[in-house]
Every structure is written in structure tokens, then in C-alpha cells.
Amino acid sequence: MGEKELTMRLNAINSEVYGVYEANYQDRMLDAEPITDGVYNAKEYLESNIKILWLLKEPYCEGDGTGGGWDLVEEANSKKWFFPINAFKRPTWANMAYVSYSIIEDMSYCDVPWINEDDYAVNKALLKVAHININKMPAGTRSNTNEVTNQYSIWKDIIFKQIQAINPEVIICGNTFSIIGKDLPGRELNRIEVSPGKWFISYEHDSQLIIDAYHPAQTIIQREVYVDSIKTLVDQWALLRNNTKR
């Protein structure tokens, strides 16, 4: 699939988002509209050596569930959200960038440049990935898993159309696997203990790697553990895939 076709398919799906909105959110039409999402840069994504999709919970707008009516990809590009990224004020973007750069450039966290140095090299990794949310409606500053699960039942068809169009090799679930995992059946590959009794787990589903991890804005474990644990799961899968091809 080329850049033009991918963009057209995602735009068509985003048009369907508004049909779902009109059918299910009559009570919110006065103060809230969907926030669409997808691939930050279709050309960069398709040319990346490994195609990564971040699957997160829901977008933030006014902080009280109102607002929306804009596209995450267009806003990020037009307002240059990633140049620079304040790693302390925008931990979601920062940790997504660190993980994505680490995987794409095959580096451990200790070798990755600081996010505001090196001509935004780390930040630019976000232009090579896709990012979709389970809930397409604006939400508050903190997500409620039960509510996001309810929203998933509404947006499920849209989400899987997006995944099919984006066709990632790696899907990183940022605290969303418990919601969508039942519809991504696959065999468990590996697990890494990130804190006592807490694991990041990888699965293989239709040749795709699915990683069950914390949300990138998490504060439970150190950033180095977060980044390197996800990268290790990707490396283990890549090695297994290469051995299988021999």
C-alpha cells in the first residue's frame, strides 16, 4: 500500500467516525464531537523499518469531556506538538517517542539521546508511528477503564478497520489490552517482570506482535524500565520471526 492509498483509507474511516457519533451521542452533540486519529505521517510510517501502532484509551481536550471536533494527526503536525516535547509536562508523547526511537533505531534507553537534543531526532520517531484511541470522544484528564470498555463496544468496528488499514507489525497497548485483548487472540510469547508481580507480556496475533504494557504516561516504573522492557519484547519476537524464516 502506498502513501496516497493509506491516507485515503484512513480519511474514509474517519468519515465513518462521524456516522457512529451521530448514531450514539445525541445527548452530547451540543458540547462534544469526536477527535479522530491515525498515522502522523503516512510516508514516514510506510518507510519505517518496523511499523508501530500505539493503542491508547482516549483523547484529551477541555478536561471535562467537552470539546473535540478536530483531528489528532492534523493538530500534531500543524502545531508542531513534537518540536520540542517537554518530557516533564507531556510524558505521554515523551515516552512514546523514547520507546519508538529505541525500537526503530535499535538502541537501549541508556544510548538514546535526550529528547530535546540532537536536532529533535528522538521526537521525529513519532512521525514514523501510528496512534489510535479506543474512545474517539473527548475525555477528562484521567481515564476510567470501565467507561473506556463501554466506549469500546461503540467504536470496536472503527478500531479494527483502522488496524487493518494501518497494518502494523507491532501494536503497543498502553493499558488497553484488558479491553481489546479478547478480540486479538494469540499465543503468549514472552513476559518481563517490570516490578514485583507486574509483567509486560507479548502475544502473537496473525503475525503481529501485541504488547500488553502500561500507558506511556505511567509513573509506576522508571522510564528506562518502561522503554527497555518493551524493546526487549520486540527484540525477542524479531529473533523468533527470523529463526522461523530459516
Side-chain angles (χ1 to χ4, degrees):
M1 183 189 306
E3 174 187 353
K4 184 176 180 181
E5 182 183 354
L6 175 59
T7 301
M8 288 178 61
R9 287 185 66 180
L10 290 176
N11 286 343
I13 294 169
N14 282 341
S15 295
E16 292 183 42
V17 166
Y18 276 84
V20 174
Y21 164 67
E22 291 171 0
N24 292 275
Y25 296 95
Q26 291 289 330
D27 59 329
R28 297 185 64 185
M29 284 190 166
L30 293 178
D31 60 9
E33 294 182 60
I35 297 173
T36 49
D37 43 40
V39 174
Y40 285 115
N41 184 303
K43 181 175 184 294
E44 294 279 353
Y45 175 78
L46 292 172
E47 291 179 354
S48 178
N49 61 337
I50 185 163
K51 296 175 178 59
I52 301 168
L53 166 64
W54 286 88
L55 180 57
L56 304 185
K57 286 184 175 180
E58 52 193 358
Y60 170 83
C61 190
E62 300 297 334
D64 60 358
T66 63
W70 46 272
D71 181 77
L72 183 65
V73 171
E74 290 181 0
E75 287 291 301
N77 282 288
S78 65
K79 295 183 179 178
K80 301 186 183 300
W81 281 357
F82 308 145
F83 308 107
I85 297 172
N86 185 309
F88 298 101
K89 293 183 179 179
R90 305 296 291 274
T92 297
W93 303 126
N95 287 332
M96 287 173 64
Y98 278 121
V99 171
S100 301
Y101 185 90
S102 176
I103 294 170
I104 292 168
E105 300 298 329
D106 192 20
M107 289 185 181
S108 297
Y109 177 77
C110 64
D111 297 320
V112 174
W114 175 241
I115 202 162
N116 288 321
E117 298 176 355
D118 196 30
D119 193 28
Y120 300 142
V122 177
N123 311 38
K124 289 178 181 177
L126 290 176
L127 300 180
K128 299 177 183 290
V129 305
H131 169 193
I132 65 175
N133 291 302
I134 285 180
N135 179 17
K136 308 301 183 186
M137 296 296 289
T141 53
R142 290 190 175 275
S143 296
N144 179 293
T145 299
N146 290 334
E147 176 57 27
V148 177
T149 301
N150 291 336
Q151 293 294 321
Y152 173 61
S153 65
I154 296 173
W155 297 109
K156 176 180 174 179
D157 289 346
I158 291 289
I159 293 164
F160 278 91
K161 285 181 180 180
Q162 289 180 302
I163 293 174
Q164 183 179 37
I166 293 167
N167 192 27
E169 295 168 281
V170 176
I171 300 175
I172 303 173
C173 296
N175 201 22
T176 53
F177 187 81
S178 63
I179 299 169
I180 197 173
K182 62 182 182 296
D183 294 314
L184 290 171
R187 64 187 181 109
E188 181 178 326
L189 296 179
N190 294 288
R191 54 176 58 205
I192 293 177
E193 191 171 24
V194 295
S195 62
K198 301 296 183 181
W199 306 79
F200 284 4
I201 306 174
S202 64
Y203 302 85
E204 188 172 50
H205 167 78
D206 290 344
S207 76
Q208 293 172 322
L209 177 68
I210 317 295
I211 296 178
D212 178 10
Y214 293 145
H215 188 280
Q218 62 83 34
T219 58
I220 301 169
I221 56 177
Q222 293 182 342
R223 177 177 287 146
E224 181 173 4
V225 176
Y226 185 80
V227 173
D228 286 346
S229 296
I230 294 175
K231 183 182 184 299
T232 297
L233 291 171
V234 174
D235 290 345
Q236 291 170 338
W237 168 76
L239 180 62
L240 176 65
R241 185 170 61 165
N242 289 338
N243 289 338
T244 302
K245 289 179 180 179
R246 292 177 182 175

mmCIF file of all heavy atoms in Angstrom, residues 151-174:
data_model
loop_
_atom_site.group_PDB
_atom_site.id
_atom_site.type_symbol
_atom_site.label_atom_id
_atom_site.label_comp_id
_atom_site.label_asym_id
_atom_site.label_seq_id
_atom_site.Cartn_x
_atom_site.Cartn_y
_atom_site.Cartn_z
ATOM 1 N N GLN A 151 -17.133 2.341 25.940
ATOM 2 C CA GLN A 151 -16.913 3.058 24.690
ATOM 3 C C GLN A 151 -16.383 2.120 23.606
ATOM 4 O O GLN A 151 -16.690 2.273 22.424
ATOM 5 C CB GLN A 151 -15.923 4.206 24.909
ATOM 6 C CG GLN A 151 -16.430 5.327 25.788
ATOM 7 C CD GLN A 151 -17.583 6.066 25.161
ATOM 8 O OE1 GLN A 151 -17.610 6.312 23.962
ATOM 9 N NE2 GLN A 151 -18.572 6.419 25.979
ATOM 10 N N TYR A 152 -15.602 1.142 24.013
ATOM 11 C CA TYR A 152 -15.045 0.188 23.047
ATOM 12 C C TYR A 152 -16.149 -0.535 22.284
ATOM 13 O O TYR A 152 -16.028 -0.778 21.078
ATOM 14 C CB TYR A 152 -14.158 -0.820 23.783
ATOM 15 C CG TYR A 152 -13.660 -1.956 22.923
ATOM 16 C CD1 TYR A 152 -12.854 -1.705 21.801
ATOM 17 C CD2 TYR A 152 -13.990 -3.279 23.221
ATOM 18 C CE1 TYR A 152 -12.399 -2.744 21.014
ATOM 19 C CE2 TYR A 152 -13.535 -4.323 22.434
ATOM 20 C CZ TYR A 152 -12.739 -4.059 21.333
ATOM 21 O OH TYR A 152 -12.294 -5.085 20.549
ATOM 22 N N SER A 153 -17.231 -0.861 22.966
ATOM 23 C CA SER A 153 -18.334 -1.559 22.290
ATOM 24 C C SER A 153 -18.933 -0.704 21.174
ATOM 25 O O SER A 153 -19.469 -1.230 20.193
ATOM 26 C CB SER A 153 -19.423 -1.947 23.302
ATOM 27 O OG SER A 153 -20.030 -0.789 23.871
ATOM 28 N N ILE A 154 -18.837 0.607 21.323
ATOM 29 C CA ILE A 154 -19.352 1.528 20.300
ATOM 30 C C ILE A 154 -18.373 1.671 19.140
ATOM 31 O O ILE A 154 -18.760 1.693 17.968
ATOM 32 C CB ILE A 154 -19.646 2.910 20.923
ATOM 33 C CG1 ILE A 154 -20.761 2.792 21.971
ATOM 34 C CG2 ILE A 154 -20.004 3.939 19.848
ATOM 35 C CD1 ILE A 154 -21.012 4.065 22.759
ATOM 36 N N TRP A 155 -17.082 1.755 19.463
ATOM 37 C CA TRP A 155 -16.059 2.081 18.458
ATOM 38 C C TRP A 155 -15.318 0.865 17.925
ATOM 39 O O TRP A 155 -14.409 1.010 17.095
ATOM 40 C CB TRP A 155 -15.067 3.071 19.050
ATOM 41 C CG TRP A 155 -15.677 4.379 19.423
ATOM 42 C CD1 TRP A 155 -15.911 4.864 20.677
ATOM 43 C CD2 TRP A 155 -16.145 5.386 18.522
ATOM 44 N NE1 TRP A 155 -16.496 6.106 20.615
ATOM 45 C CE2 TRP A 155 -16.654 6.454 19.308
ATOM 46 C CE3 TRP A 155 -16.188 5.485 17.128
ATOM 47 C CZ2 TRP A 155 -17.180 7.605 18.737
ATOM 48 C CZ3 TRP A 155 -16.720 6.638 16.559
ATOM 49 C CH2 TRP A 155 -17.209 7.677 17.362
ATOM 50 N N LYS A 156 -15.678 -0.319 18.358
ATOM 51 C CA LYS A 156 -14.927 -1.527 18.005
ATOM 52 C C LYS A 156 -14.741 -1.688 16.495
ATOM 53 O O LYS A 156 -13.622 -1.949 16.019
ATOM 54 C CB LYS A 156 -15.622 -2.760 18.587
ATOM 55 C CG LYS A 156 -14.982 -4.083 18.210
ATOM 56 C CD LYS A 156 -15.745 -5.249 18.835
ATOM 57 C CE LYS A 156 -15.222 -6.590 18.347
ATOM 58 N NZ LYS A 156 -15.950 -7.730 18.960
ATOM 59 N N ASP A 157 -15.792 -1.575 15.722
ATOM 60 C CA ASP A 157 -15.688 -1.764 14.267
ATOM 61 C C ASP A 157 -14.740 -0.745 13.652
ATOM 62 O O ASP A 157 -13.940 -1.080 12.759
ATOM 63 C CB ASP A 157 -17.059 -1.679 13.610
ATOM 64 C CG ASP A 157 -17.936 -2.886 13.925
ATOM 65 O OD1 ASP A 157 -17.391 -3.892 14.434
ATOM 66 O OD2 ASP A 157 -19.153 -2.818 13.679
ATOM 67 N N ILE A 158 -14.815 0.495 14.108
ATOM 68 C CA ILE A 158 -13.922 1.545 13.603
ATOM 69 C C ILE A 158 -12.475 1.200 13.935
ATOM 70 O O ILE A 158 -11.567 1.315 13.090
ATOM 71 C CB ILE A 158 -14.292 2.909 14.210
ATOM 72 C CG1 ILE A 158 -15.644 3.386 13.679
ATOM 73 C CG2 ILE A 158 -13.197 3.953 13.946
ATOM 74 C CD1 ILE A 158 -15.650 3.806 12.229
ATOM 75 N N ILE A 159 -12.223 0.792 15.163
ATOM 76 C CA ILE A 159 -10.863 0.475 15.603
ATOM 77 C C ILE A 159 -10.249 -0.623 14.744
ATOM 78 O O ILE A 159 -9.096 -0.509 14.292
ATOM 79 C CB ILE A 159 -10.866 0.056 17.091
ATOM 80 C CG1 ILE A 159 -11.236 1.247 17.971
ATOM 81 C CG2 ILE A 159 -9.503 -0.513 17.504
ATOM 82 C CD1 ILE A 159 -11.645 0.861 19.382
ATOM 83 N N PHE A 160 -11.005 -1.666 14.473
ATOM 84 C CA PHE A 160 -10.443 -2.777 13.699
ATOM 85 C C PHE A 160 -10.303 -2.426 12.223
ATOM 86 O O PHE A 160 -9.422 -2.959 11.535
ATOM 87 C CB PHE A 160 -11.241 -4.053 13.923
ATOM 88 C CG PHE A 160 -10.829 -4.751 15.191
ATOM 89 C CD1 PHE A 160 -11.464 -4.475 16.390
ATOM 90 C CD2 PHE A 160 -9.765 -5.636 15.196
ATOM 91 C CE1 PHE A 160 -11.055 -5.087 17.575
ATOM 92 C CE2 PHE A 160 -9.357 -6.253 16.366
ATOM 93 C CZ PHE A 160 -9.992 -5.973 17.559
ATOM 94 N N LYS A 161 -11.122 -1.540 11.723
ATOM 95 C CA LYS A 161 -10.898 -1.029 10.364
ATOM 96 C C LYS A 161 -9.598 -0.231 10.312
ATOM 97 O O LYS A 161 -8.838 -0.318 9.331
ATOM 98 C CB LYS A 161 -12.074 -0.152 9.918
ATOM 99 C CG LYS A 161 -13.323 -0.923 9.553
ATOM 100 C CD LYS A 161 -14.440 0.012 9.091
ATOM 101 C CE LYS A 161 -15.690 -0.775 8.726
ATOM 102 N NZ LYS A 161 -16.796 0.113 8.261
ATOM 103 N N GLN A 162 -9.339 0.557 11.358
ATOM 104 C CA GLN A 162 -8.100 1.320 11.411
ATOM 105 C C GLN A 162 -6.886 0.388 11.481
ATOM 106 O O GLN A 162 -5.897 0.590 10.770
ATOM 107 C CB GLN A 162 -8.094 2.246 12.628
ATOM 108 C CG GLN A 162 -9.050 3.425 12.512
ATOM 109 C CD GLN A 162 -8.991 4.300 13.766
ATOM 110 O OE1 GLN A 162 -9.241 3.824 14.870
ATOM 111 N NE2 GLN A 162 -8.667 5.569 13.598
ATOM 112 N N ILE A 163 -6.969 -0.622 12.333
ATOM 113 C CA ILE A 163 -5.851 -1.559 12.459
ATOM 114 C C ILE A 163 -5.589 -2.263 11.136
ATOM 115 O O ILE A 163 -4.438 -2.436 10.714
ATOM 116 C CB ILE A 163 -6.124 -2.582 13.579
ATOM 117 C CG1 ILE A 163 -6.128 -1.884 14.944
ATOM 118 C CG2 ILE A 163 -5.068 -3.697 13.562
ATOM 119 C CD1 ILE A 163 -6.528 -2.789 16.106
ATOM 120 N N GLN A 164 -6.654 -2.648 10.454
ATOM 121 C CA GLN A 164 -6.495 -3.327 9.169
ATOM 122 C C GLN A 164 -5.842 -2.402 8.144
ATOM 123 O O GLN A 164 -4.953 -2.813 7.387
ATOM 124 C CB GLN A 164 -7.847 -3.803 8.650
ATOM 125 C CG GLN A 164 -7.762 -4.588 7.341
ATOM 126 C CD GLN A 164 -9.113 -5.073 6.868
ATOM 127 O OE1 GLN A 164 -10.124 -4.379 7.011
ATOM 128 N NE2 GLN A 164 -9.146 -6.271 6.297
ATOM 129 N N ALA A 165 -6.252 -1.150 8.115
ATOM 130 C CA ALA A 165 -5.687 -0.196 7.151
ATOM 131 C C ALA A 165 -4.233 0.137 7.484
ATOM 132 O O ALA A 165 -3.367 0.188 6.600
ATOM 133 C CB ALA A 165 -6.522 1.079 7.121
ATOM 134 N N ILE A 166 -3.953 0.364 8.756
ATOM 135 C CA ILE A 166 -2.603 0.742 9.195
ATOM 136 C C ILE A 166 -1.651 -0.446 9.079
ATOM 137 O O ILE A 166 -0.469 -0.275 8.792
ATOM 138 C CB ILE A 166 -2.655 1.275 10.638
ATOM 139 C CG1 ILE A 166 -3.425 2.603 10.673
ATOM 140 C CG2 ILE A 166 -1.262 1.470 11.218
ATOM 141 C CD1 ILE A 166 -3.808 3.053 12.079
ATOM 142 N N ASN A 167 -2.166 -1.650 9.304
ATOM 143 C CA ASN A 167 -1.415 -2.890 9.152
ATOM 144 C C ASN A 167 -0.067 -2.855 9.874
ATOM 145 O O ASN A 167 0.991 -3.042 9.257
ATOM 146 C CB ASN A 167 -1.201 -3.202 7.663
ATOM 147 C CG ASN A 167 -0.691 -4.612 7.429
ATOM 148 O OD1 ASN A 167 -0.936 -5.511 8.234
ATOM 149 N ND2 ASN A 167 0.046 -4.805 6.346
ATOM 150 N N PRO A 168 -0.070 -2.631 11.178
ATOM 151 C CA PRO A 168 1.196 -2.546 11.916
ATOM 152 C C PRO A 168 1.826 -3.911 12.125
ATOM 153 O O PRO A 168 1.141 -4.940 12.094
ATOM 154 C CB PRO A 168 0.765 -1.944 13.256
ATOM 155 C CG PRO A 168 -0.625 -2.485 13.445
ATOM 156 C CD PRO A 168 -1.233 -2.504 12.061
ATOM 157 N N GLU A 169 3.124 -3.911 12.338
ATOM 158 C CA GLU A 169 3.811 -5.135 12.737
ATOM 159 C C GLU A 169 3.778 -5.282 14.256
ATOM 160 O O GLU A 169 3.762 -6.392 14.782
ATOM 161 C CB GLU A 169 5.256 -5.105 12.254
ATOM 162 C CG GLU A 169 5.389 -5.121 10.738
ATOM 163 C CD GLU A 169 6.791 -4.792 10.294
ATOM 164 O OE1 GLU A 169 7.142 -3.591 10.295
ATOM 165 O OE2 GLU A 169 7.538 -5.733 9.962
ATOM 166 N N VAL A 170 3.806 -4.150 14.953
ATOM 167 C CA VAL A 170 3.812 -4.136 16.413
ATOM 168 C C VAL A 170 2.686 -3.240 16.914
ATOM 169 O O VAL A 170 2.564 -2.090 16.464
ATOM 170 C CB VAL A 170 5.160 -3.621 16.961
ATOM 171 C CG1 VAL A 170 5.123 -3.524 18.481
ATOM 172 C CG2 VAL A 170 6.306 -4.521 16.507
ATOM 173 N N ILE A 171 1.866 -3.755 17.813
ATOM 174 C CA ILE A 171 0.827 -2.956 18.466
ATOM 175 C C ILE A 171 1.180 -2.859 19.946
ATOM 176 O O ILE A 171 1.260 -3.882 20.633
ATOM 177 C CB ILE A 171 -0.572 -3.578 18.303
ATOM 178 C CG1 ILE A 171 -0.942 -3.701 16.811
ATOM 179 C CG2 ILE A 171 -1.621 -2.736 19.040
ATOM 180 C CD1 ILE A 171 -2.267 -4.409 16.572
ATOM 181 N N ILE A 172 1.413 -1.640 20.418
ATOM 182 C CA ILE A 172 1.712 -1.423 21.831
ATOM 183 C C ILE A 172 0.432 -0.944 22.511
ATOM 184 O O ILE A 172 -0.052 0.146 22.230
ATOM 185 C CB ILE A 172 2.844 -0.395 22.019
ATOM 186 C CG1 ILE A 172 4.109 -0.846 21.276
ATOM 187 C CG2 ILE A 172 3.137 -0.195 23.510
ATOM 188 C CD1 ILE A 172 5.217 0.185 21.269
ATOM 189 N N CYS A 173 -0.107 -1.787 23.363
ATOM 190 C CA CYS A 173 -1.334 -1.446 24.094
ATOM 191 C C CYS A 173 -0.951 -0.716 25.378
ATOM 192 O O CYS A 173 -0.352 -1.318 26.281
ATOM 193 C CB CYS A 173 -2.125 -2.703 24.416
ATOM 194 S SG CYS A 173 -2.738 -3.596 22.970
ATOM 195 N N GLY A 174 -1.292 0.550 25.450
ATOM 196 C CA GLY A 174 -0.990 1.353 26.632
ATOM 197 C C GLY A 174 -2.106 1.249 27.648
ATOM 198 O O GLY A 174 -2.992 2.093 27.701
#
